[in-house]
Amino acid sequence: MFKPTKIHLALVACTAMTLSQLAAADVVIGVAGPMTGLAAAFGDQMWRGAEQAAIDINAKGGINGEKIRLIKADDACEPKQAVAVANRLVNADKVNAVVGHFCSSSTVPASEVYDEAGVISMTPGSTNPKITDRGLSYIFRMCGRDDQQGVIAGDFIVDTLHAKKVAIIHDKDTYGQGLADATMAEIRKRGLSEVLYEGITRGEKDFNALVTKIRSTGADVVYFGGIHPEAGPIIRQLREQGLTTTFVSGDALATAEMVSTAGGAKYVNGMYMTFGSDPRLSPDGKQVIDNFRSHGYEPEGFTLYSYSAVQALAAAFNAVGSLDNDKASKWLKENPVHTVMGVKEFDNKGDLKKSDYIMYQWGADGTYKQL
């Protein structure tokens, strides 16, 4: 029977310590977003983008010689759950940085947890201005703001659609209502007043009463601030009731699931939405995009935004030669970052210096293309 000696025990202890140090040496990045729930399509985009970025960066040496290890965190697009997730990532998982969250209503409270802990967070899709207007030191976003997106939508409604009567609908959420209000502010600035301003509740499916109300206003354009699970039934029921009213919305419709929630491509045909310049057309990301497609995945929506967020974090940590969030945050605000979406630069608030929102139109084939 084998009896361990002091030497054996010392070797076991040394091995355990070495393994522990190796595990601790990983650069831990949380990927926090709606992995379940109504907005889960965007959580999937975020994870796929971050996961591939980590694989590609690790293959090139990682961050300061260490491998990136991702931790998936589900906030279900619920603010309270987002705060719980943020606390777990900071206190239990000891993350070095976070890619997330997605819904603005989650990012606002969660970012306060990260900021207090001195952890950089970079959202690939939260657009509410409040996120970066609070003076937090460690918050960044790889997307634009609602007050930029709303201007593009409002001007398009006035200048291109030549709307006479606009109905503004929103989902009462931080993102949805914020974007609707920004668009409304722009059309008012352009001398056009809304004929209806109405809030709906997330999770609703029957909008026939709302459609009847829209019909009574004679609106020739409906602007919706919200996400695809509600946008789909609204546009379908508009069409089923015979209304040809032009439907315009924002970047939270940038998923193929928009077609299924609407009940088919014929319902989304002709619909407009604002979104950043299509990253799939960027020559900087061609190799990554081709790789995604070769594995049967179309990197739609915010996939490449999430990939770029991991790239930006890795670039900052590599540049400062450590995982010092103070130095990395300062570096990001002073240096350009090369990403699959091109060169990105951040201002002192953590916003991109250049917003690239444009208008897209959905076609009869159930896909969207930039105009």
Side-chain angles (χ1 to χ4, degrees), residues 75 77-87 105-106 109:
D75 67 14
C77 205
E78 294 288 344
K80 289 183 179 179
Q81 189 163 324
V83 171
V85 159
N87 279 302
S105 55
S106 292

Side-chain angles (χ1 to χ4, degrees), residues 127 146 149-150 153 157 167-184 197-202 207 210 222-231 234 247-253 272 274:
T127 54
D146 288 336
Q149 188 173 187
I157 289 169
I168 305 286
I169 312 299
H170 63 83
D171 65 0
K172 304 176 188 175
D173 184 73
T174 303
Y175 162 75
Q177 186 166 0
L179 180 55
D181 288 350
T183 302
M184 183 170 64
Y197 180 77
E198 188 90 1
I200 57 102
T201 301
R202 280 191 175 181
F207 297 105
L210 174 64
V222 169
Y223 184 84
F224 176 65
I227 58 178
H228 63 282
E230 288 75 45
I234 290 175
F247 192 89
V248 185
S249 191
D251 54 353
L253 272 58
Y272 297 98
T274 45

